[in-house]
Amino acid sequence: MVVLARVADHMQREYDIIIWGASGFTGKIVCDYMRENYSGGNLTWAIGGRNRSKLNALQAASGVDVLVADAHDPSALTELVKKTRVVLTTVGPYARYGSELVKACAEQGTHYCDLTGEVHWMRNMIERYDAAAKDSGAKIVHTCGFDSIPSDIGVFFMQQQMNNKHGVAASHIKYRTRAFKGGFSGGTIDSMMAMMESAKTDPKIMTTIADPYALNFSHRGLDGVDQNSQFYDSDFQAWVGPFVMAAINTRVVRRSNELMGQVYGNEFRYDEGSIVGAGVGAMVGSTALAMGTRLMNGLAAIEPTRKLMQKVLPKPGEGPSAEIIDSGFFEIELLAKHPSDPQKNLLGRVKGDKDPGYGSTAKMLAECAVALAQDNLPTTGGFWTPASAMGDALLERLPANAGVTFDLVEPTGT
Ligand SMILES: NC(=O)c1ccc[n+]([C@@H]2O[C@H](COP(=O)([O-])OP(=O)(O)OC[C@H]3O[C@@H](n4cnc5c(N)ncnc54)[C@H](OP(=O)(O)O)[C@@H]3O)[C@@H](O)[C@H]2O)c1
């Protein structure tokens, strides 16, 4: 009876989706996508945020309802989430602005998706609100943008292919960025800096961020710390440097394995890196990439240089130009290793037709929200990853609607 009442309440809500943070850099791109693709159909959506006048200006373009709530006003947030089946939020840094919203969604049975890459915060949210979400039926899904959809859904896709073709799970998957073009927004930089600032006051945060299984609660595997130096990868016959999002994506993929009952195997290994190329120039380039990544992390960790970086880098609300977003793209390769026969290894490719961080991210996030609102997903309430919550749905939606494709290239035999 309780479950039936909950389902009835959910079906009767005023909106399918509220886009919260609609006035931000990424929020506006999400609204454009929703207006172009989900106006006038059977999906009802509204926009929300803290500043009514900014939201009213956006409403003029989209014609949808406006809801106002501040991140630090729990009762306004509760009223807001009770009106909708799904909240899509781009209000970040999430550790600073997101906790009350997650709590309200978990308690009110409202599905939720976001763009956080703040691993310590995700762990904290799971610890605090997973029981409430399970109880209320709310499906809470973090990391629905460039981190970590190409990784998480890419691995989900490669494991399906390995299973379909060879009847086993791949024992090791390597994710390698082949090419991409895009930029950073002030909100993303603010989130990275905020994480560094919090780590300074709470050393446990650094320990969590460094843990390769930071988002696992019952199973740990064989993976060690992230690669932070260059190396020659004979599988790709190329020099490889660190990939800046690996510390987020790898945790999400490992959590997916746990949430799906270790379907990738207890000894599954997963790592990420950036292909620089072959030859001496690429060796030098991959070394520079590794040094540059360490330098950036080092500078962001020290207060005076962090403050200087915040002055010169884009501010919250700012980001790459429309031209950079439209001409941007990404291309990633995934090598899935057969557990015993290298001739049965598989190579896959994930591609996006806009810049990864904003154009493609906005489309991926919007499709996650629509999937949570409309698709018949196999999951109940709780904290999920994109793959464990809606892997099959996203493998249909993203290529069809969002310009993000997942393809098998060829058996590699390496
Ligand atoms: N995972 C990925 O691939 C990916 C990609 C892009 C972005 N992101 C993340 O997404 C987040 C947003 O990035 P962005 O560049 O869009 O940031 P942004 O332009 O700074 O937008 C932030 C939004 O949060 C709102 N906000 C700030 N404080 C608030 C409060 N107290 N109550 C309610 N709303 C509040 C802002 O409202 P106002 O307009 O009123 O200031 C704005 O709408 C960041 O955490 C970033 O790291 C992740």
Side-chain angles (χ1 to χ4, degrees):
M1 284 306 274
V2 175
V3 173
L4 286 179
R6 188 195 295 153
V7 170
D9 162 61
H10 212 247
M11 296 310 287
Q12 281 164 10
R13 293 193 178 187
E14 210 171 332
Y15 308 107
D16 289 309
I17 298 170
I18 292 176
I19 299 169
W20 197 57
S23 57
F25 187 79
T26 318
K28 283 182 189 156
I29 308 174
V30 174
C31 290
D32 289 345
Y33 180 77
M34 291 297 290
R35 192 172 55 248
E36 283 159 23
N37 295 278
Y38 293 103
S39 288
N42 63 354
L43 187 114
T44 52
W45 57 280
I47 56 175
R50 64 173 166 178
N51 183 322
R52 184 172 287 282
S53 59
K54 279 192 191 178
L55 294 166
N56 283 345
L58 282 169
Q59 186 202 27
S62 53
V64 296
D65 291 351
V66 166
L67 296 113
V68 178
D70 189 276
H72 303 301
D73 183 345
S75 56
L77 289 175
T78 298
E79 286 315 304
L80 181 139
V81 308
K82 279 161 78 173
K83 290 189 163 72
T84 184
R85 303 178 66 217
V86 180
V87 170
L88 171 167
T89 170
T90 61
V91 176
Y94 291 88
R96 191 189 294 153
Y97 298 127
S99 304
E100 292 293 347
L101 181 69
V102 170
K103 178 174 187 282
C105 287
E107 287 174 351
Q108 300 304 325
T110 304
H111 306 324
Y112 166 105
C113 55
D114 73 18
L115 291 178
T116 187
E118 295 146 88
V119 170
H120 66 291
W121 178 72
M122 285 185 253
R123 181 156 186 115
N124 183 250
M125 291 298 98
I126 300 166
E127 284 169 351
R128 285 164 68 183
Y129 303 122
D130 192 45
K134 284 191 167 111
D135 197 40
S136 72
K139 298 169 194 171
I140 311 282
V141 191
H142 298 300
T143 62
C144 293
F146 184 59
D147 42 299
S148 301
I149 297 263
S151 310
D152 198 32
I153 301 300
V155 168
F156 182 81
F157 169 75
M158 293 306 292
Q159 290 288 19
Q160 271 188 353
Q161 296 297 319
M162 185 62 87
N163 248 303
N164 291 345
K165 286 184 188 301
H166 302 304
V168 288
S171 54
H172 182 183
I173 292 184
K174 294 180 169 189
Y175 164 116
R176 299 287 180 259
T177 58
R178 188 51 89 174
F180 62 91
K181 182 178 161 199
F184 281 107
S185 74
T188 298
I189 289 158
D190 196 22
S191 297
M192 287 158 67
M193 299 297 177
M195 199 155 79
M196 292 297 183
E197 264 163 36
S198 323
K200 201 181 61 183
T201 50
D202 182 356
K204 274 202 314 240
I205 291 179
M206 221 55 217
T207 312
T208 304
I209 294 170
D211 180 356
Y213 291 90
L215 296 178
N216 284 44
F217 287 78
S218 55
H219 287 85
R220 297 182 69 87
L222 303 178
D223 284 320
V225 293
D226 304 305
Q227 186 76 33
N228 74 350
S229 55
Q230 75 287 358
F231 66 100
Y232 186 77
D233 189 337
S234 53
D235 286 325
F236 287 85
Q237 299 186 355
W239 285 92
V240 170
F243 178 53
V244 66
M245 303 297 183
I248 305 160
N249 296 335
T250 54
R251 283 42 170 179
V252 173
V253 167
R254 291 169 197 144
R255 176 163 170 77
S256 285
N257 191 22
E258 177 175 289
L259 287 171
M260 294 189 292
Q262 298 292 114
V263 281
Y264 305 160
N266 286 332
E267 305 205 332
F268 172 66
R269 286 165 53 218
Y270 180 68
D271 62 84
E272 299 194 344
S274 307
I275 289 180
V276 179
V280 178
M283 184 185 77
V284 175
S286 61
T287 309
L289 177 62
M291 286 170 66
T293 308
R294 287 199 296 268
L295 183 69
M296 280 297 283
N297 288 340
L299 292 176
I302 304 165
E303 192 162 347
T305 41
R306 183 170 61 241
K307 292 239 154 28
L308 191 68
M309 286 163 84
Q310 280 167 317
K311 275 200 183 124
V312 296
L313 293 168
K315 310 280 173 300
E318 300 172 357
S321 67
E323 195 201 332
I324 290 178
I325 291 173
D326 283 341
S327 64
F329 67 93
F330 63 86
E331 186 177 326
I332 294 151
E333 287 180 0
L334 290 150
L335 176 67
K337 296 199 158 203
H338 187 277
S340 57
D341 183 354
Q343 294 303 317
K344 294 179 176 164
N345 290 351
L346 299 174
L347 185 66
R349 190 166 286 146
V350 186
K351 285 167 107 172
D353 66 354
K354 300 264 186 219
D355 85 302
Y358 304 95
S360 287
T361 280
K363 296 196 281 185
M364 291 187 269
L365 178 62
E367 289 299 330
C368 286
V370 178
L372 285 169
Q374 292 195 322
D375 292 354
N376 189 12
L377 303 175
T379 38
T380 53
F383 280 68
W384 300 96
T385 54
S388 59
M390 48 190 153
D392 288 318
L394 291 180
L395 279 179
E396 281 191 23
R397 286 187 167 278
L398 298 178
N401 307 333
V404 177
T405 54
F406 301 82
D407 294 297
L408 211 53
V409 181
E410 58 190 13
T412 63
T414 56

